[in-house]
Amino acid sequence: MHLLFLPVVHTLEKKGNPIDKLACSEFWKAKDSYRQLQNAFFEYMVSNGFELQRGLPKEETDRVHYTLKEYKNITNYEQTKETLKNIKLELPNVPDIADININRLSKKRDEKILEEIIKPKDDLINELYQDKLILQQELLRKSKMFEKAEKYQKERDNIITDNENLHNQMEQIKSEYK
């Protein structure tokens, strides 16, 4: 879903008359205003029975934005553009003007675009997204495991040091006892 959002602020003009004006700076005051809006939208939609997925925050994923060139390369933009250019409408041989249904022809083209381009790309994107989530969870699990291993290694080093100290003390006590 794509939403077009224009921040309209209700304010007063110089003469004191009420007006509505476009004012991004008045609406987007906090650094994360857009994230807050997305979170509010997500919570509203989920609370009203829609099943939406919300991505992980940037801070958790350390993701970076792609340049336009990288994105076109990833999405195979040139081939997609060429495929769209080569799609031809199939019209009846000698159509009667009364028999032509523009909506039907447009629908065939749209269905072909959906089947050959959009659906495979969406499926691949969803599959890659799920793989990414699994890998992020695995990475998080591994990093926690690594942190535990470091903690246990420090404890082990402390125990070995304590053991050596106790051994030295015991040897000293033995020599004093003799």
Side-chain angles (χ1 to χ4, degrees), residues 159-170:
I159 290 171
I160 290 172
T161 303
D162 288 346
N163 191 17
E164 287 175 2
N165 289 339
L166 288 172
H167 181 72
N168 290 339
Q169 287 176 357
M170 186 183 79

Side-chain angles (χ1 to χ4, degrees), residues 63-79:
R63 69 178 162 246
V64 293
H65 289 280
Y66 295 114
T67 64
L68 183 59
K69 184 178 179 182
E70 291 170 330
Y71 185 74
K72 284 183 176 182
N73 191 22
I74 290 169
T75 59
N76 209 0
Y77 173 78
E78 291 301 324
Q79 184 180 358

Side-chain angles (χ1 to χ4, degrees), residues 10 18 35 38 43-44 54 64 69 80 82 95 116 125 135 140 155 157 169 172:
H10 309 288
R35 182 186 297 182
Q38 288 176 321
E43 289 168 11
Y44 176 81
R54 185 80 167 101
V64 293
K69 184 178 179 182
T80 302
E82 196 61 36
E116 293 181 12
I125 289 169
L135 288 172
L140 185 61
E155 287 178 14
D157 292 344
Q169 287 176 357
Q172 186 179 2

Side-chain angles (χ1 to χ4, degrees), residues 55-64 129 132-133 136 139:
L56 297 172
K58 180 181 177 185
E59 295 79 16
E60 286 183 31
T61 62
D62 292 327
R63 69 178 162 246
V64 293
Y129 178 76
K132 183 187 86 124
L133 288 177
Q136 284 175 334
L139 181 61

